[in-house]
Amino acid sequence: QSVLTQPPSMSAAPGQKVTISCSGSSSNTGNNYVSWYQHVPGTAPKLLIYDNNKRASGIPDRFSGSKSGTSATLGITGLQTGDEADYYCGTWDSSLSAGVFGGGTKLTVL
Amino acid sequence: EVQLLVSGGGSVQPGGSLRLSCAASVNNYAMAWVRQAPGKGLEWVSAISAGGGTTYYADSVKGRFIMSRDKSKNTVYLGMNSLRVEDTAVYYCAKGRYAYYYGSGACHDSWGQGTLVTVSS
């Protein structure tokens, strides 16, 4: 069971918008920056968002991040079939003194 | 984006040992290991500061795994002892954004290709 909670799966049609949530606690998401990663099985994960809402180099502005309290959100607009992947949130947990990830959200674009 | 070359995976029996290597020009940055077991999500395993003096471990590997780095070889290592079946996973090496790993440093902006570790009798 992951420290951070994400919906296991989401789906949306091409061109639509989706928001993926990441819920934690005061020891992790509540007081530390959140990052988001895209992972296509069989390839290396890719950093999308860091410091809650900053896009990593080369990431299009269709991807956005936000955080409120102990919850973070990844938004993807103008969905493309190439966006089909697993998405993970990650942060530092000050109580565990360890990095933590969410369980991942499998995004289907249909 | 920095290129991270991971090696050292393979098959081992329970109780055995392996050492993973991650070669890259990342001496000024903290580094981490992240794994993905078959059919599961990403799991953070360990991290080390740029200087090598501070290490962090997940509870699931604490006391069994040791992360280290050799700056003269631009290489980071994960020594894995007392391996268990549940350690079976693809192991990724990841670069941190800063020299420190805690707090805002726990963010991975470059990843290696992953190496498979299989623990089975």
Side-chain angles (χ1 to χ4, degrees):
Chain A
Q1 189 160 340
S2 303
V3 172
L4 307 181
T5 301
Q6 297 181 233
S9 64
M10 299 190 74
S11 63
Q16 296 299 303
K17 172 183 177 179
V18 67
T19 57
I20 299 173
S21 62
C22 172
S23 178
S25 67
S26 59
S27 66
N28 41 67
T29 55
N31 286 286
N32 290 293
Y33 286 117
V34 176
S35 305
W36 287 92
Y37 304 88
Q38 179 189 64
H39 187 209
V40 176
T43 69
K46 177 195 295 185
L47 175 66
L48 298 174
I49 301 289
Y50 67 97
D51 290 358
N52 302 333
N53 55 18
K54 297 181 174 64
R55 276 186 299 276
S57 176
I59 302 302
D61 58 8
R62 299 188 300 107
F63 293 87
S64 64
S66 64
K67 194 183 88 167
S68 178
T70 58
S71 293
T73 301
L74 172 70
I76 311 174
T77 60
L79 277 170
Q80 303 173 0
T81 55
D83 295 331
E84 280 203 344
D86 299 318
Y87 291 85
Y88 295 87
C89 58
T91 188
W92 177 254
D93 191 298
S94 304
S95 294
L96 298 174
S97 287
V100 290
F101 286 101
T105 299
K106 182 178 180 61
L107 175 64
T108 302
V109 181
L110 37 68
Chain B
E1 190 170 315
V2 177
Q3 297 299 312
L4 307 178
L5 184 59
V6 182
S7 61
S11 296
V12 62
Q13 292 187 335
S17 300
L18 275 178
R19 188 178 77 162
L20 306 183
S21 300
C22 175
S25 297
V26 291
N27 283 347
N28 295 328
Y29 296 94
M31 296 292 292
W33 289 95
V34 176
R35 67 186 181 184
Q36 184 176 36
K40 303 293 186 181
L42 298 180
E43 179 189 11
W44 181 88
V45 175
S46 180
I48 190 168
S49 61
T54 305
T55 52
Y56 307 93
Y57 299 96
D59 285 344
S60 58
V61 307
K62 201 171 293 183
R64 301 187 298 122
F65 290 12
I66 297 177
M67 188 171 183
S68 61
R69 66 192 307 163
D70 185 335
K71 289 196 167 188
S72 68
K73 296 182 179 179
N74 287 327
T75 301
V76 173
Y77 303 98
L78 184 66
M80 304 184 293
N81 301 307
S82 302
L83 282 162
R84 305 168 180 168
V85 171
E86 55 265 34
D87 294 319
T88 294
V90 173
Y91 284 73
Y92 295 99
C93 171
K95 172 186 162 292
R97 295 192 72 243
Y98 306 113
Y100 60 89
Y101 189 77
Y102 60 88
S104 59
C107 172
H108 319 96
D109 58 10
S110 294
W111 296 67
Q113 81 282 11
T115 188
L116 177 62
V117 171
T118 302
V119 184
S120 173
S121 55

